[in-house]
Amino acid sequence: MRILITGNLGYVGSVLVGHLRRALPEARLIGFDAAFFAHCLTARAPLPEHRLERQHFGDVRDLPGDLLDGVDAIVHLAAVSNDPMGNRFEEVTDAINHRASVRLAELAAARGVKHFVFASSCSVYGLADATPRREGDALNPLTAYARSKIATEEGLRQADLGAMVTTSLRFATACGFSPRLRLDLVLNDFVAAALAARRISVLSDGSPWRPLIDVNDMARAIIWALTRDESAGGRRLSVNAGSDAWNFQVRDLAAAVAAAVPGTEVSINHAAPPDQRSYRVDFSLFRELAPAHQPAMTLAGSIAALRDGLAAIAFADADFRNSPLMRLKVLEHLTEQGRLGADLRWREGEI
């Protein structure tokens, strides 16, 4: 089996390649990435890419069709990957996250690729009432990032992709340690703040709901999607990927981190206006379709892995929100240097 992973040099991809190598030891793994964040390493272990057969560099908007020759499956992670980046680069977010994704799927179908796995997001539900959101419920995207994910899912349904099986995994909010850690994610941020300052500041009143999934469990879901039969969910599937047990209120996440890092204080802004990004998610369809690939991590386990992983690199940066561990800061720095254009394309000679 030959698998192409786009965005493999990112937060999720750096964990995924190890899981793929262990779960599918005979597979040939190929990476394709623009390398914006390749230098953002947070582990002393060998580069995750040593597990690949080949690494290609390039812009997913220009991915050449002949790179797909002989490829059996694609894991499509490449994206402008969160709300702050989507807001800062709104038009580019649509171009990369949506239009380039549908183009890639069409190229893949034409080249005989059998499986296409798209990393979507539960953020497509936006503000919702207390009822956990199911796949058939109304969508309420509040950001350019969420809108781009919905547009891609719809594009995959409408495109003529023949017999190729597509799986859009609507992931809960990612968390957990990675060789290329991001700290612009709620649980990761809380652990970093606890270690660096022994203080967690919750900007909301703490009541918003967030569904979470550890990055290792994201990899487990991707492996299922790569290998699932069409009979398990149909040829075009969008499914919430996560666990009902991982629906948390933000204040409970802060309390759990404080308990794992002794001496940490938690402050909550009880006067904050309501946070519009509050929703719970129903993961029963994923549980039914993928019983052998359900999340295995616990909240305590994810927090411990983050705490211990950061401690291993002597993390103590109280100003981490202005560091390369925040993906938007990396893009802003590269554009300010003139190495990236406003369209997030490398200037000539930079890659």
Side-chain angles (χ1 to χ4, degrees), residues 292-314:
H293 292 80
Q294 291 299 291
M297 295 291 291
T298 64
L299 178 62
S302 293
I303 292 171
L306 284 162
R307 179 196 62 205
D308 297 346
L310 285 168
I313 59 171

Side-chain angles (χ1 to χ4, degrees), residues 12 38 58 78 130 165 173 188 199 204 219 242 244 249 252 254 262 328 340 345:
V12 178
V165 175
T173 299
N188 299 5
R199 182 176 180 82
S204 71
D244 293 343
Q249 287 181 285
D252 295 329
L328 177 58
L340 277 183
R345 290 184 181 276

